[in-house]
Amino acid sequence: MNSMNQERMMHYQMEPSWGYYMRVRNMEDQMERVVRLASESAVVIFSISSCCMCHALKTLFCGMGVNPSVVELDEDPKGKEMESVLMRLLGNSTCVPVVFIGGKLVGTMDRVLASHINGSLVPLLKQAGAMWL
């Protein structure tokens, strides 16, 4: 292979593809969607309908008198893409349930339960307007 062909090959390999741009754009669109959904209600849970941990978290909030908005990722046509965005936000592979309170990311089940145990969950819910008592 002569040097001119090698140069062309390197240029071709380094140039991002149209598919790459579309995946990045789709990821940005889904990030905007997650942020928008997370800020539309005082408490938003991103969930999967068959997940027992998601069910437990929804039950916890309902038992506290909180009526969370629930986004069932497995029932949304773009759910897989949103799940990828949530995984990026969390920095790990276990994604659901993911809770936002007052538009701010609280985290997954372990963070919510830790906040509940240490007493910081109720003030956070009150501040977001999800609880009054």
Side-chain angles (χ1 to χ4, degrees):
M1 203 185 264
N2 66 31
S3 65
M4 186 153 63
N5 284 341
Q6 285 177 335
E7 231 175 85
R8 282 186 192 153
M9 193 65 157
M10 284 179 58
H11 176 72
Y12 177 75
Q13 289 174 346
M14 295 175 72
E15 188 99 6
S17 69
W18 177 251
Y20 170 79
Y21 286 120
M22 293 307 292
R23 283 191 305 274
V24 168
R25 183 65 199 146
N26 185 44
M27 186 69 77
E28 290 171 355
D29 291 344
Q30 293 312 312
M31 178 68 80
E32 291 171 13
R33 185 167 182 227
V34 165
V35 169
R36 181 179 45 80
L37 288 169
S39 62
E40 286 180 349
S41 296
V43 178
V44 178
I45 302 172
F46 288 88
S47 170
I48 292 178
S49 57
S50 62
C51 171
C52 63
M53 298 304 268
C54 297
H55 176 74
L57 199 58
K58 292 181 253 185
T59 302
L60 170 71
F61 281 117
C62 289
M64 297 172 74
V66 173
N67 187 24
S69 290
V70 178
V71 179
E72 297 291 1
L73 296 172
D74 58 325
E75 296 174 4
D76 189 295
K78 297 285 187 175
K80 282 286 183 202
E81 290 90 346
M82 284 194 294
E83 190 172 356
S84 294
V85 166
L86 292 167
M87 286 170 56
R88 273 187 139 188
L89 287 173
L90 294 167
N92 65 19
S93 61
T94 52
C95 176
V96 291
V98 178
V99 177
F100 287 80
I101 298 176
K104 296 177 186 160
L105 176 63
V106 174
T108 56
M109 181 80 156
D110 58 339
R111 294 279 180 142
V112 174
L113 289 180
S115 298
H116 186 48
I117 290 166
N118 73 23
S120 63
L121 183 60
V122 170
L124 193 58
L125 291 167
K126 286 180 180 178
Q127 182 182 1
M131 282 182 88
W132 293 273
L133 298 175

